[in-house]
Amino acid sequence: MDEVTDRDWLLFRDWCTSMQIDALSCTTREIEAFLRDVSGPEATQKRRTRAILRALKSGGLKTRSTGGLDEGWPQLLEKMPASGFPAGLRGRRDAWLLVLIAVLGMSSREALAVETRDVKLQPEIAIARRMVARADSAPACPACAVTRWLRVLGPAAAGMTAMTVDILNRPHGADLIHDCSISIDQQWRNVDTLLPKMDLRGWINPASPLSVSSLTSIIRHRQRAVREAPQPSY
């Protein structure tokens, strides 16, 4: 399947997620509902339909370049640190990356190309026109991963140390609250890159984005950390 039709399937899959539909078990009626909701020229709709039917016939597409994350990302997202400095700052950035690559199915280059104008928070969260679903569990919620990162990115990129640390020093039990249900200011819209480099101390370099190879290394590091984490003895 070429890149265009691949994106057509991913768009349909994201729509299914937002509607709480299993994309691989969808009906003709649900495909028709998708085409009504996501309008387009007749040629585009025909191409989308062909892409969906082809993907369904082959059992769906695996997310590109994610190392098998399309099935294991909820656990990885749940284990990502969101509190404390610098672990929480780095963890929130990496969770954002995970959403782009593993949840939304972007390639590394597509993830790096996302700009603030591509992000919509209302009425639903969407990135580059791809819906970001909300999960029942706040720690594993892709929508919460988005808002947690944007909430701290603006102050961190502006060098506002006290505010950054204050955001990251969350009270006990905050992990159980959906961050995506809490409004945030628009300071993050002033940043140059949504995937910035960080120095050894954890501070952001606001004008320097990560490289493609860095994205791959980050994902592998986070996967390895989850695999090697001590398991409960019960």
Side-chain angles (χ1 to χ4, degrees), residues 51-71:
I52 293 168
L53 295 177
R54 189 179 303 124
L56 292 174
K57 184 177 180 180
S58 64
L61 299 176
K62 294 295 183 182
T63 304
R64 296 189 303 273
S65 304
T66 62
L69 285 177
D70 46 335
E71 296 180 355

Side-chain angles (χ1 to χ4, degrees), residues 138-199:
C141 177
C144 285
V146 170
T147 57
R148 279 195 292 263
W149 174 231
L150 299 180
R151 190 181 304 282
V152 75
L153 174 60
M160 303 172 69
T161 306
M163 181 177 292
T164 300
V165 173
D166 184 60
I167 292 172
L168 294 171
N169 287 338
R170 300 188 299 169
H172 179 71
D175 289 342
L176 303 179
I177 300 173
H178 272 277
D179 191 276
C180 61
S181 64
I182 305 172
S183 62
I184 63 177
D185 62 35
Q186 299 296 301
Q187 191 173 6
W188 60 273
R189 290 200 178 274
N190 299 321
V191 303
D192 294 322
T193 176
L194 293 170
L195 279 170
K197 291 181 180 178
M198 294 184 187
D199 62 24

Side-chain angles (χ1 to χ4, degrees), residues 189-225:
R189 290 200 178 274
N190 299 321
V191 303
D192 294 322
T193 176
L194 293 170
L195 279 170
K197 291 181 180 178
M198 294 184 187
D199 62 24
L200 293 177
R201 296 173 298 172
W203 287 111
I204 283 177
N205 185 338
S208 184
L210 292 165
S211 65
V212 171
S213 60
S214 295
L215 302 194
T216 302
S217 297
I218 288 170
I219 293 296
R220 288 176 178 171
H221 167 73
R222 292 299 184 181
Q223 286 180 299
R224 185 167 58 251

